[in-house]
Every structure is written in structure tokens, then in C-alpha cells.
Amino acid sequence: MRTTKKLLSLLLALCMVVSLLPATALAVESEAQSPGAQTQVVLPDGITSESFKDGDTVYDGTNFHKTMMDALKAVAGKEGAVLYCLPGADVGAMTHGHVCASLTVYGNGAYVSGGENDFEVDTYKGAACANHKDCPGLKQTLNITINDLGCSGVWGQRTSAHTINIVMNNCENADRVYLTGTTGVHNITINGNTYIYPASGSNTGHKNEKNEDVTGGCAIYSNAAGEIKIDGCKFDYVKAPINMNHKSAGKQSVTVSNTTFTNCALLNTLITNDEKSYISPIRVLATNESGSSALQVDNCTFEYTDSEPKANGDILIGDGRAGATINSNVTVAISKTAAEVQFQAPGYHNADGNIANESCVATMKTEGTDTVDASLTEAFAVAQVGNKYFDTLNAAIEEASKDSPLVLLKDITVSNPIQIDKSITINGNGHSITRTTNGMVMNVLYQDGIDVTITNLTLKGNNPGGLLEWTMQKDYKENDNPTVTPKLTVEQCTFSSNDGKKTGAGIGLWGYQSNDWFNKAKSEVVINNCTFDTLSAGIYYNEEAPLLNLKSTVTHNRFCNLSWTGIAGIPANAEIAYNTFESSCHGAIQYLLNEKQKTTNTSIHDNVIDSVVGIEFMPYHLNEHNQNGNAKTVEVTKDMLPSIKRNIRNTDTNLVKVVAYRAHSDETLKLAENTAIDLTENYTQGKAPTIETVVQTATGDNTAPTVDKVTPAIKNDVYYEADTMKPEDLNTYVPTYTGPSGYAVKTEVGAH
């Protein structure tokens, strides 16, 4: 029989037991409706409510039936059957109403009054089928559409691999849609349903419109691939309204839109220990390595008016239960929704459902005006390289390169050093790496062609040789002509001890450890805009560094709270500029002089040096011993001294300190004839810069020279009288003037 739509009178609609929802037959199949509103009714031509006689409640297009279960038996196995309910009628109790062929139900505001309230799909067949014997079971794709039938749901324990398409429209006080089994595809579309379950014997204190105690179970559940769409629905007092545990291969997509959750997933007395570790208004996870789940939440509301605390977040991604397995293929996109999103890893809860390990949860809050895209992998990832996320730093390092940067996603701790032996870019992204045991945090092993950049990272720990070490590969030791000179760039990083005891160094520059302190290997280091705080030393040029072939640029850095000195060692071929050495540092720069360092090519300029000790000069293997053990004196020439210009010292102490004699090494620092330490053009409180000379002696050391015998010559007659260090601030400045002819005349500057 051909069916058409027919509108009943308003009087009839008001007599319905369950409120009708506003939709035509076509509308309920395509649009979400407002829950709980009045609806249009669909009946075949020639059929009205008066056509239903003697307690009949369902019409199958040919015959009338007393209950929905009777009607299902009559049309069992008939592909494309359509059932029409008496508007507002009680269609009887229904437990596992068997459906094995495509079916459409127009509920017309009728309701199921008892049983488990479910249409059963793909569970029973043969003699085991409760509705009819010898049912062959599902043989093809099943389409089941339920419109405006209160207290109804769909349940199935899959036995076939066929696709099941479920559509429920505008069903008030609906029951669960619950499909288990990993075979086949589950496509579920729910529009305009409301969910509040009567539960016999419950005692929650929450009542439905019939004054019955209610507690909600799991409303929507699927563990197979498929597309789930939930739109315009309302969930009240439901333990786990939307609960997806994807256990199969393939993709499961879940879209929840325009839906309100009120007092759902509350930790009341009816929640079991196991339940409280996973219940949430929306929960999505995937536990098959070949499967993925994608959740989209748009324009949804999570409301709580009761005093009970909620379990977990409004949205829960992953499984934090004790003994659970985790799969990383879960993504979530949230828009126009204020929500607390929790990402959980196994072990967050213990067997009693209580919190066991806080590190196994990550929480994100959305404000309702933002759009957020995240994933389970991202929530627990240590680092990201491109679009890939990694839960260990070593795995991320293997993937990353110079052009594919590693981005750190969280603060981490390590107990062993991180090894870098290739060209790579590491972006700390404002995070930190802390070593829990003494030793270096990161070791960069350099050889021909390695180019490493480290930015925006904090390293914490305790290691005398440096938290970050630049260490030579053995086979590079004598390479003075590399194809590409290895380079380390460190920018916007912070280095500090992790216990506040000012121990260890920030960066250590090393050669290959051997008796040859002067490796031929070339390398380059750039350290810019970093902070060295609460350490012994900031940057340590180790005595085994390739001193003559290391080019270093140290600029715009801050040194503070250092118990020893900011920069220590022999910075040959170095530019040390625009740095600040604060008064909380004992020393600023320790410059070691060595006989093989005939030409330093080092410039120390434009620094603020307010440390207790400024620039310190010290002999280091300057006077080598001959075979008889006698030391020869090597005089320091002008070319062995660094250029010191335009530095600012706001403290009333010496700009330079010279250790003229070191007792334990029996070395004397002596300047060659006509050689002076040039301190001109620096600012030291508007006065001529000065030098302090000290002699280190040991008890009973009769060979130590007196200070007056080794006091070095100093050149300090030209200096700045203001810390702006403009040319006119020099004490020798003579301004230009305009002569009678109008031409500018400049007077030669002479010393005062």
C-alpha cells in the first residue's frame, strides 16, 4: 500500500501519553528536532487513530497488532517493512525485539512500557531466535529507522560482518543504542532524542516526569568502525551517555552537536569502582593498533546542578583504568563548547577506581569561543616532528633533522644524557629537561658536517663539564679541513642547577679527551640570548678543546648567581659581546694564556661587567718544562691578548685581574717588552680602568716573584666618562667646529 502523511487534530495530540515532537515524515528522517516538543504524525492513507480497534497499537500496512513485539514477529525477514504506531499508545513491553531485515518505525509519540526496550539486531538466529524459529540471521546491510517512539532503543551482539545503519529521530526517554562486536560497520545517527532512564529499585533522588527514581546507564555505545552522529539531543542523569571503545580495525568517527548533558557521569553511590574510572558524558578511545577514532564536538553544553562531584572530565579521551591498553589513534576537535577535556593513559586509576598516577592524565579546558584540535598521542607526547608525535625523546631525535625540527611538548626528566650525533634542530618550545642524577643533560658529538641548533630550551642539573656539552668524535680529532665545519647554535636557552647550589657549568666546549690539548679540528659555536643562572660557571672552554680552531660567538647572554665565573677557559677566535655579567656573579671572564696560542683573534666588547671580578688573565701551560724539569719563560705578546673595548663596569673595582704567578703549576705571566694590556675606550664609572695583580703562593714557596716584579703594563689613558659610550663621552673628545670659510674643521684627538 502506498503511504502518505496525514496530520491528526490538535485534540488528539494533547491526549498522547508521551509528548509529540514536531516533524513531518520527511523531516524526522533528515533533521534534528527540539527534544520534548509537539510533532506531526505519520499514518498510511485511510488509516486514522480510530482504525486501531480492541487494543491494537501497531499497524504493519496490512494487519493490526496488539504490541510492537507482535508486529515484529509478523514482518520478520521482510525487507523494507514499515510499522505505524497508534499515536501516544503503549506498545507493550519489548525485550530483544528481533530485526533481521531493513525496517522503518513511525512511533507517532507511542512508547515502550517495559522489558529491555530494545530492537535486537544481528544477535540471534535459527532456533535461538526468540521471535521466530529458523531465522537465518542477517544476510545483508540492515537499515533500521525509528521515529518518535518513546523508551525505545537498539541492541546487538554482532555475529555477521554486514553493515548496520541505525537512525533514531525524536524519541523521548529513549533507551540505549548499544552494539558490541568488532565485525561489520556500525553507523548510528540520532537526532533529537532525550535520555533519562527509569531504573527499578534505584535510589538516586533524581525523578523523571512519572516521579520514578532514575539512573542512567550507557546510552550510546559502539566498539566497531563506523560513523556515529548525535545531534540535538538531551541527556539527564546518565552515567555514560556517549561511550565509544573502538576495538576493531578501520575508522570510527563520532560527531556530537547541539546536545546538552545535565548532571551526567556523577560520582553518586550507584557508581561502581570500575565505572568511576571511565564514565564521562563523552568518552572515546581506540584499542586496536589498526583502528582510529575521531571525535568532533560542536555547540554542546555540560551542566551540573547537583552537589555530587563528576567523574573525570566532560570529555574523556583514552582509558586510564589499571591494566588498560592505550592506542594513540584518537583525535578530538571541539568548537563552540566550554568543556574540561581529559586525556588518560593506563595506570591513572588503580583497581579501586581511585587516582593512582597523576602523570597519566593531561587536562585541557576549552572556553566555548575557541576551536581546538588535539589528540591522545599529542596529549602524552614528549615531542613532535612535523605531524608525528613521540612519547620518547630518543624516538623523536631519530625522526628529526635540520629541516624537520623536533619540538618539545612538555617538561621532562632524564637519568642519562641525551645523545646528539647528527644535524638537527631542537625547539624546546619553552619547556625544560632536568637530569635527576649528576652528569650532563645533553651531549652533542660533532664531526665533519654536523649542524645542530637548540632554541628556547631550559636545561637543569649538575655537571662540572657542562649541562650541554660540545664533544668531538674521535675520528675528527685532526681534521683541519672539513667539508662543512661542524656548528652548534644555542639561542634563547636557560641553564641552571636543579638544586640551587650553584654547581656545575651550563655549556661545556670540549675536544677529544687526550693528552693533546690542541686538536687541529675546526668547529664553530654560537651562543646567543641565553641565561646562565645558579651555577658554578656559565660557559666552560675546557683545556682539551680545539682551542686554536674553535670559532665562538657569545652575545646577548645574561650571567647571574654564579659562584665562579661567567665564561671560563681559553676563548681563542672568540667574540664575547653585548653580554651582562651581574653583580651576583663572582667573576665574568677567565682568559687563559698558552704558549701555542700565538694569535688570539678574540674581542671582548660592549659587555656590562658588574661581577665581583671582571676579566681575569691567568697562565695556563704558558711556561712549558723541559726534560730537566726546568720551566722556560714564555712572554706574552700583544697578539696573544684579546681586544677589550666599550665594556661597562658600574662597580668601583678593577676591570681586569691578572694572576701573575700560579704556585701549583710554577707558571709566571710576563708581558713582552713594549706590550701592555690595553683597556682604553671602556667605561668604569668615568675613571681610568685599573688592573689588580695577584701572585698565588703556596706554603714554603720561595720561588714566587713579588707583585712589583710582574705587574703588567697597562694602557688606560683613553676612557669613557659616561656609560652611553658615545664618541663625545671619551675623555679625549674635541668637538668639530666651523671655520670662517664655512668648512668643517676637525681637530686631531690627543691624549690628556
Side-chain angles (χ1 to χ4, degrees), residues 454 489-493 507 526-532 553-557 577-579:
I454 302 171
T489 302
V490 184
E491 295 184 313
Q492 295 180 301
C493 291
I507 296 177
V526 175
I527 304 169
N528 180 57
N529 200 22
C530 294
T531 296
F532 299 86
T553 304
V554 181
T555 53
H556 301 286
N557 301 289
Y578 309 106
N579 302 288

Side-chain angles (χ1 to χ4, degrees), residues 65-176:
H65 307 279
K66 302 296 183 184
T67 66
M68 179 61 70
M69 288 291 284
D70 292 337
L72 291 175
K73 291 177 182 179
V75 300
K78 180 182 177 182
E79 185 70 20
V82 181
L83 301 179
Y84 305 88
C85 296
L86 171 65
D90 176 354
V91 298
M94 181 170 64
T95 295
H96 306 332
H98 187 66
V99 178
C100 58
S102 294
L103 173 71
T104 299
V105 177
Y106 290 104
N108 296 326
Y111 62 95
V112 178
S113 59
E116 294 191 25
N117 310 320
D118 62 307
F119 294 90
E120 171 266 309
V121 295
D122 200 26
T123 302
Y124 301 111
K125 58 184 177 180
C129 177
N131 282 352
H132 57 102
K133 295 181 180 180
D134 301 321
C135 173
L138 195 60
K139 294 300 181 183
Q140 61 185 353
T141 296
L142 174 65
N143 302 306
I144 178 170
T145 301
I146 305 167
N147 301 305
D148 193 24
L149 179 62
C151 304
S152 64
V154 180
W155 171 84
Q157 295 177 339
R158 299 298 308 274
T159 57
S160 77
H162 297 296
T163 295
I164 295 180
N165 299 312
I166 299 171
V167 178
M168 292 189 72
N169 294 312
N170 306 313
C171 297
E172 190 162 311
N173 292 345
D175 209 299
R176 60 184 178 170

Side-chain angles (χ1 to χ4, degrees), residues 312-343:
N312 309 303
D314 303 314
I315 299 171
L316 176 58
I317 306 297
D319 193 345
R321 288 179 291 181
T325 57
I326 191 170
N327 179 256
S328 60
N329 299 324
V330 184
T331 61
V332 56
I334 303 172
S335 59
K336 294 181 288 185
T337 301
E340 178 187 356
V341 185
Q342 280 191 353
F343 302 86

Side-chain angles (χ1 to χ4, degrees), residues 264-267 279 281 302 304 307-314 339-340:
C264 293
L266 295 177
L267 282 175
I279 61 172
F302 301 90
Y304 302 90
S307 59
E308 296 102 325
K310 64 181 179 180
N312 309 303
D314 303 314
E340 178 187 356

